[in-house]
Amino acid sequence: MAAGETQAQMLRVFGKPFGISQRASLRFIVLLREPIARALSSVRMMRQWRWERRNQTGAIRTDVEALNQCGQVMFAPSDSSRHVSVSEILPKISYTGLQRYRTCLANGAPLNHVRAGVYAASALAWLRAFEASQFLWLETEKIRGQRSEQLLATLARFAGLPLEHLGSLPSHMRAACERRSSEAKAGSVDARMLVHGSAQLDELAKHDAALLNRTFLPFNMLLATLLVHARELKGVAWLAYAATKTGK
């Protein structure tokens, strides 16, 4: 499930056909990526496809400003002498206000490189509509370090699927699950995607990295409090760091 889905979309697609009494049986698997890595990858992909005309720094800074405008226009505090972070306000606002904010985050997609990484706004909306137990939260880098059987078992247990066959998967199925990106052929989709891997992030200018760190940290702090019981996110570095900043 993409992290940009709105609560209304989820209820429309998943909720109505089943009715309120059946919603508890629904299960959602959500894959997160470290927001800075995701933002840079988004810029690169959109530039590669020639949808994004600005350079990397220009695209990042423009969307950081768009994110700030979303907050300033919608949640400007009545006491202008006191700075209030949008991440402090989000948990307290109405569903309508939250939906308006998330609509602002989605404006201009897929060129909302930074705004799309504000996962806390999505998590807040989803957790107002569904129980926390209905979600399995995964993180890209963490699952890359897992064996295929471990990941498949996690998914199967969450979805209530049988596990017995996982230890005896046919060799061709096991190979498909464990294929490494280094095996990708030149010109293939897998090879083209290597440019978006986390190993390619070192060239990000230090001032851009600092800007993105400042931008995402308050939202990541909120996300860490919302997903504190998400077992599969334990040990995820960027969330663990954010959690240390919450003082909890």
Side-chain angles (χ1 to χ4, degrees):
M1 185 172 65
E5 293 292 335
T6 67
Q7 178 183 3
Q9 287 173 322
M10 289 177 69
L11 288 172
R12 183 166 58 249
V13 174
F14 299 111
K16 282 188 177 179
F18 298 91
I20 295 176
S21 62
Q22 280 98 1
R23 285 181 191 164
S25 65
L26 297 173
R27 295 293 180 268
F28 304 98
I29 299 171
V30 185
L31 180 62
L32 304 177
R33 184 178 183 184
E34 193 279 321
I36 294 177
R38 189 215 171 279
L40 182 57
S41 178
S42 175
V43 172
R44 288 181 171 179
M45 180 177 288
M46 293 301 103
R47 281 179 53 79
Q48 190 178 64
W49 292 356
R50 301 189 180 184
W51 292 6
E52 175 61 83
R53 300 298 181 181
R54 296 163 294 193
N55 63 25
Q56 176 178 291
T57 296
I60 289 171
R61 291 187 174 184
T62 298
D63 207 46
V64 167
E65 179 57 29
L67 173 58
N68 292 336
Q69 287 295 321
C70 286
Q72 290 170 8
V73 170
M74 300 181 65
F75 306 127
S78 56
D79 180 3
S80 59
S81 65
R82 177 177 178 266
H83 173 73
V84 179
S85 169
V86 171
S87 63
E88 295 179 58
I89 300 172
L90 285 178
K92 304 173 185 176
I93 64 173
S94 67
Y95 163 68
T96 301
L98 182 58
Q99 184 152 330
R100 286 174 56 224
Y101 181 65
R102 298 186 67 235
T103 297
C104 187
L105 296 182
N107 283 342
L111 302 184
N112 56 337
H113 314 292
V114 177
R115 287 171 290 151
V118 181
Y119 306 138
S122 297
L124 273 170
W126 298 346
L127 293 172
R128 288 185 183 181
F130 302 95
E131 296 296 326
S133 60
Q134 295 177 254
F135 291 85
L136 174 63
W137 303 87
L138 302 173
E139 198 270 342
T140 303
E141 290 303 316
K142 185 172 182 180
I143 65 173
R144 281 176 177 166
Q146 296 178 348
R147 299 183 63 216
S148 57
E149 293 94 338
Q150 181 183 356
L151 177 58
L152 290 171
T154 297
L155 298 174
R157 278 193 295 268
F158 176 72
L161 299 175
L163 299 171
E164 295 78 11
H165 65 291
L166 294 181
S168 56
L169 288 175
S171 58
H172 69 281
M173 293 181 64
R174 189 182 303 275
C177 290
E178 296 180 348
R179 186 176 67 171
R180 299 292 183 259
S181 58
S182 59
E183 301 173 10
K185 297 180 180 179
S188 70
V189 172
D190 288 339
R192 292 197 304 270
M193 289 301 294
L194 293 178
V195 72
H196 307 294
S198 60
Q200 302 290 324
L201 301 182
D202 292 341
E203 67 191 57
L204 180 62
K206 290 183 178 179
H207 53 278
D208 288 345
L211 174 62
L212 288 173
N213 272 312
R214 291 194 303 272
T215 299
F216 283 125
L217 182 57
F219 296 105
N220 290 346
M221 290 166 61
L222 173 58
L223 185 67
T225 64
L226 293 170
L227 304 183
V228 66
H229 299 301
R231 184 174 60 182
E232 297 302 324
L233 296 181
K234 300 298 183 185
V236 172
W238 56 274
L239 270 177
Y241 174 76
T244 67
K245 298 298 183 179
T246 64
K248 298 181 180 179

